[in-house]
Amino acid sequence: MPFLTVDNISVNFRGVKALAGVSFSVEEHSIFSVIGPNGSGKTTLFNLINGIYKPDRGRIVFQGTDISRLSPDRIARRGIARTFQNIELFSRASVMDNLLLGRHIHMRCGVFSGAFMWGRRSRAAREEIENRESVEAVMEFLGISPLRDHPVVNLPYGKRKLVELGRALALEPRLLLLDEPTAGMSADEKKDLDVRIRAIRDQYKATIILIEHDMGVVMGLSDTVLAIDQGRVIAEGKPREVQSHPDVVKAYLGS
Amino acid sequence: MKQDHYADVGLFPGKSTALGVLGFILFLVSLPLYLPEYNFYLLNLMIAHVIIVVGLNILAGGTGQISLGHAGFFAIGAYGTVLLMQKLGIPFIPALVLAGFIAAFFGFVVGLPALKLEGPYLSIATLAFGLAITHIIGHVDIFGGRTGIQAPPLDLGIPQWGLSYVLSSDVQKYWLFLVVALLMAAGARNIMKTRVGRSFKAIRDSNVAAGVMGINLPAYKTLAFAVSAFYAGIAGGLFGFVLGFFNPEPFNLVLSITFLIMAVVGGLSSIAGSVAGAALITYLQFSLLKNIDEIPYFGTLLTSISERWFTDEGLHNIDSIVLGIIMVIIIIFEPSGLYGVWLRIKGYVQKTPRDTHKAGEV
Ligand SMILES: Nc1ncnc2c1ncn2[C@@H]1O[C@H](COP(=O)(O)OP(=O)(O)OP(=O)(O)O)[C@@H](O)[C@H]1O
Ligand SMILES: [Mg+2]
């Protein structure tokens, strides 16, 4: 049974066909890249997997269950996390609080145990301490520990991207969706991230779907590449095969 | 260096804050030693307002949802506490807590439209609730109708068992109210520092990201209403005993708006701000502005201006006008309210680089 299967999925926005009958499947522990020109439907695909949009037709099967009609929070609980193309951080909160929100599904405390956080041994305090420790480990891994108490609004773009990645990792995802993680980064930062993404797969045992425009990054990282254009799959396979596929070349030159 | 994570969430982040808070509490407890008794009616009123505004802040400052119906929950608390005591013979403390939960239930119900409505539309739904509640209360006999009801003696014991401890003076009530307010404020602060409060703030900042991180949006949006209404219910329960005798009239739309003004003036991002905002506005409304015409020269001048343009006689509208002006000034110059002003002062004094809206503050 494949880890994730997207089965003949279609979605329209007021007549615009954003995705039209897209199918593919992703192997566990692989790095799967999605490429395509601007407006081809890549982000829409993520929004469907996340449950932000509901498909008009088709199914998305994750570890044996159809998740295409579940709400985003139910899908998150199954271990799917993501970063956004345009960074969706909790802007008024600190780096620490943003990452702690990634721990939400692993925490239990409600209003009452929260309100009665009297002292270090209370249930809420113990939960906070435990989860703050695991967030600390994620920050360490991404090299953002010095930023822990900074409000995210004041951080430079590159750091905010890392914080968002950290928030997704804090969820301990089984499937991690990264929407253009290297956009706006310098060559050095890109190389850095390249290494980190590999480490995420190995250390965090996550499967990764990557939307990426930088062909260097895609070629170096991916086990499989999916190319879409105008909401349709035009090629799928090993990075080299897809890169030289005539339809892919045409789509990129034509755009 | 090993980080002490409890220091981040514990009630007192550092020794100096702990001392400051402790000193402030001692000051409040010892107030009856130097203030004459007649001040305590106003102080008790302030405390009731502080509690409801702290709760309103959990909703408005937390999730960003604006309620124009909080006077309704306030009324449920006031009537609920008194009726539970009178009709069912429940002692004061459990009656108060129960009334808080009844208000919370209504808060949950009023919060249901939040699942479909946003922004101004939601506020109008809460407004309708606030108006309906006082209307219903005014038309039902058990609530005393338009004439009103009399609160029983404030007995902390269980009178049926012969255990009686009646708080008769305003000063005695003040100590009780103070304890309740401190517990409620500490609770609010803890809620906002832990999982639930964090989720509220996440919803305010980004609905989409909150959902994707696993926060159940419908549940948390209605929960915020319920928690906020619980605070309003407790505050209302105390308010009933401040007034002693009351009818539906004070629980009107203007009161709901006044609570919002208190929250905004204090600063929608901080509990300390809510406390300050509620205390300041209550003082202005019920003390300073009531007696302002007695100030030599200035009072006469103000009266003549007012009689010329705003009222038929005296300084009838002065509090609405002043509150309006304060609100406009705050929104234009210091949107984080008194809390923001305090941060500024602290910044000047310490001369250290500061992050204005230090994240992690509620
Ligand atoms: N919520 C929406 N409402 C209307 N149209 C939408 C919506 N979301 C996406 N679309 C449309 O769907 C198409 C695909 O958009 P999508 O964002 O998925 O592209 P993309 O491949 O991620 O592009 P880019 O590389 O620029 O990020 C576009 O035509 C876009 O305008
Ligand atoms: Mg996109």
Side-chain angles (χ1 to χ4, degrees), chain B residues 23-291:
Chain B
F24 183 59
I25 292 174
L26 273 179
F27 164 73
L28 291 176
V29 171
S30 63
L31 265 186
L33 296 179
Y34 15 89
L35 270 187
E37 167 100 31
Y38 68 84
N39 291 295
F40 285 85
Y41 176 84
L42 179 66
L43 281 169
N44 290 345
L45 198 58
M46 272 186 192
I47 293 177
H49 288 171
V50 161
I51 294 173
I52 191 171
V53 174
V54 165
L56 189 59
N57 201 353
I58 292 178
L59 182 70
T63 63
Q65 303 175 107
I66 300 293
S67 164
L68 285 172
H70 259 51
F73 304 123
F74 203 49
I76 290 173
Y79 277 92
T81 309
V82 167
L83 289 175
L84 287 171
M85 288 172 77
Q86 278 181 341
K87 307 287 170 193
L88 301 179
I90 299 174
F92 172 72
I93 296 285
L96 180 69
V97 175
L98 215 57
F101 278 108
I102 295 172
F105 171 75
F106 276 89
F108 167 76
V109 174
V110 173
L112 289 177
L115 310 183
K116 291 265 171 263
L117 305 177
E118 294 215 325
Y121 302 102
L122 176 61
S123 299
I124 288 173
T126 62
L127 175 111
F129 158 78
L131 297 178
I133 275 292
T134 44
H135 224 75
I136 292 166
I137 289 174
H139 283 277
V140 176
D141 285 341
I142 188 173
F143 298 125
R146 294 253 158 247
T147 20
I149 53 171
Q150 174 70 47
L154 209 178
D155 193 334
L156 283 187
I158 307 169
Q160 294 92 327
W161 298 356
L163 300 168
S164 222
Y165 188 80
V166 178
L167 306 181
S168 45
S169 72
D170 283 344
V171 170
Q172 286 173 323
K173 288 181 195 165
Y174 167 77
W175 275 317
L176 169 72
F177 286 16
L178 194 60
V179 171
V180 176
L182 288 172
L183 286 175
M184 299 293 280
R189 187 259 176 216
N190 281 346
I191 289 173
M192 295 312 284
K193 280 277 179 194
T194 49
R195 180 169 176 263
V196 172
R198 241 189 330 263
S199 307
F200 288 164
K201 285 181 274 178
I203 290 173
R204 175 193 67 184
D205 280 354
S206 170
N207 249 311
V208 174
V212 166
M213 295 324 291
I215 294 169
N216 182 337
L217 295 178
Y220 277 85
K221 283 182 173 178
T222 44
L223 181 64
F225 264 98
V227 172
S228 186
F230 179 79
Y231 273 77
I234 297 290
L238 301 185
F239 180 68
F241 286 87
V242 176
L243 296 184
F245 182 85
F246 55 91
N247 61 25
E249 211 213 286
F251 304 97
N252 53 26
L253 175 60
V254 176
L255 186 65
S256 292
I257 294 174
T258 311
F259 291 145
L260 267 180
I261 293 178
M262 290 173 180
V264 170
V265 166
L268 278 182
S269 62
S270 115
I271 285 174
S274 293
V275 174
L280 176 74
I281 300 294
T282 310
Y283 172 72
L284 285 180
Q285 263 201 311
F286 290 90
S287 181
L288 186 65
L289 296 176
K290 284 271 182 290
N291 307 317

Side-chain angles (χ1 to χ4, degrees), chain A residues 50 52 72-73 76-77 80-82 84 88-94 96-97 100-102 104-105 107-112 114-120 124-125 127-129 132-133 136 148-152 154 167-168 171, chain B residues 2-11 101 182-183 186-191 193-196 198-218 220 223 227 231 355 357-361:
Chain A
N50 265 143
I52 298 172
D73 60 290
R77 284 188 179 280
I80 301 183
R82 96 149 240 212
F84 294 84
E88 283 278 344
L89 282 171
F90 304 116
S91 53
R92 278 174 273 196
S94 66
M96 174 53 98
D97 278 342
L100 277 169
L101 278 153
H104 182 84
I105 64 166
M107 297 171 83
R108 291 274 92 79
C109 278
V111 185
F112 291 106
F116 292 103
M117 184 172 60
W118 299 106
R120 197 179 280 275
E127 184 178 83
E128 284 295 318
I129 293 168
R132 278 162 194 267
E133 271 161 11
E136 206 83 47
R148 69 191 291 277
D149 295 319
H150 282 252
V152 293
N154 301 337
R167 184 179 66 184
L171 190 142
Chain B
K2 184 103 171 64
Q3 184 80 38
D4 177 14
H5 291 290
Y6 182 66
D8 284 351
V9 291
L11 263 181
F101 278 108
L182 288 172
L183 286 175
R189 187 259 176 216
N190 281 346
I191 289 173
K193 280 277 179 194
T194 49
R195 180 169 176 263
V196 172
R198 241 189 330 263
S199 307
F200 288 164
K201 285 181 274 178
I203 290 173
R204 175 193 67 184
D205 280 354
S206 170
N207 249 311
V208 174
V212 166
M213 295 324 291
I215 294 169
N216 182 337
L217 295 178
Y220 277 85
L223 181 64
V227 172
Y231 273 77
D355 15 1
H357 308 286
K358 187 163 186 301
E361 276 309 325

Side-chain angles (χ1 to χ4, degrees), chain A residues 11-14 16-19 34-47 52-53 85-86 179-180 211 213 228 230-231:
Chain A
V11 68
N12 294 286
F13 297 110
R14 279 170 251 109
V16 181
K17 267 205 165 83
L19 287 177
V34 181
I35 62 169
N38 291 100
S40 54
K42 306 181 295 296
T43 299
T44 303
L45 186 61
F46 274 13
N47 287 339
I52 298 172
Y53 298 157
Q85 188 171 352
N86 299 315
D179 197 343
E180 304 197 13
I211 295 178
H213 279 301
I228 57 177
Q230 294 176 17

Side-chain angles (χ1 to χ4, degrees), chain A residues 21 31 95 164:
Chain A
I31 298 180
V95 171
E164 213 195 18

Side-chain angles (χ1 to χ4, degrees), chain A residues 3-252:
Chain A
F3 187 62
L4 176 83
T5 306
V6 171
D7 181 15
N8 197 23
I9 208 108
S10 300
V11 68
N12 294 286
F13 297 110
R14 279 170 251 109
V16 181
K17 267 205 165 83
L19 287 177
V22 169
S23 299
F24 62 90
S25 47
V26 178
E27 289 300 320
E28 192 162 11
H29 301 309
S30 65
I31 298 180
F32 185 97
S33 291
V34 181
I35 62 169
N38 291 100
S40 54
K42 306 181 295 296
T43 299
T44 303
L45 186 61
F46 274 13
N47 287 339
L48 286 165
I49 297 175
N50 265 143
I52 298 172
Y53 298 157
K54 304 285 174 248
D56 297 333
R57 252 176 311 112
R59 296 186 316 151
I60 299 171
V61 180
F62 177 62
Q63 294 190 310
T65 7
D66 183 0
I67 58 167
S68 60
R69 261 91 197 159
L70 298 182
S71 60
D73 60 290
R74 300 280 291 280
I75 292 172
R77 284 188 179 280
R78 290 176 178 271
I80 301 183
R82 96 149 240 212
T83 65
F84 294 84
Q85 188 171 352
N86 299 315
I87 307 188
E88 283 278 344
L89 282 171
F90 304 116
S91 53
R92 278 174 273 196
S94 66
V95 171
M96 174 53 98
D97 278 342
N98 268 277
L99 266 66
L100 277 169
L101 278 153
R103 302 287 311 156
H104 182 84
I105 64 166
H106 299 290
M107 297 171 83
R108 291 274 92 79
C109 278
V111 185
F112 291 106
S113 38
F116 292 103
M117 184 172 60
W118 299 106
R120 197 179 280 275
R121 313 217 47 119
S122 59
R123 193 168 153 243
R126 278 184 284 129
E127 184 178 83
E128 284 295 318
I129 293 168
E130 192 181 305
N131 284 280
R132 278 162 194 267
E133 271 161 11
S134 63
V135 161
E136 206 83 47
V138 173
M139 287 193 206
E140 194 97 358
F141 172 73
L142 292 175
I144 51 173
S145 304
L147 303 176
R148 69 191 291 277
D149 295 319
H150 282 252
V152 293
V153 266
N154 301 337
L155 296 178
Y157 182 80
K159 297 289 182 213
R160 276 189 287 150
K161 288 219 106 153
L162 280 181
V163 173
E164 213 195 18
L165 179 57
R167 184 179 66 184
L169 283 181
L171 190 142
E172 294 173 23
R174 274 189 278 238
L175 175 62
L176 177 60
L177 313 175
L178 302 176
D179 197 343
E180 304 197 13
T182 70
M185 285 191 173
S186 68
D188 277 351
E189 287 173 321
K190 276 184 190 177
K191 200 161 274 149
D192 227 38
L193 198 72
D194 189 296
V195 176
R196 286 228 173 83
I197 290 175
R198 241 181 265 274
I200 289 169
R201 177 188 53 186
D202 300 336
Q203 262 173 265
Y204 287 80
K205 306 264 177 289
T207 305
I208 295 165
I209 306 184
L210 181 70
I211 295 178
E212 187 51 62
H213 279 301
D214 186 305
M215 274 306 169
V217 175
V218 172
M219 289 302 134
L221 271 178
S222 321
D223 298 307
T224 313
V225 177
L226 178 85
I228 57 177
D229 185 26
Q230 294 176 17
R232 288 174 198 282
V233 175
I234 52 175
E236 184 186 352
K238 295 265 165 273
R240 296 281 155 223
E241 297 162 25
V242 174
Q243 191 184 28
S244 53
H245 192 286
D247 287 348
V248 175
V249 175
K250 207 171 75 195
Y252 271 89

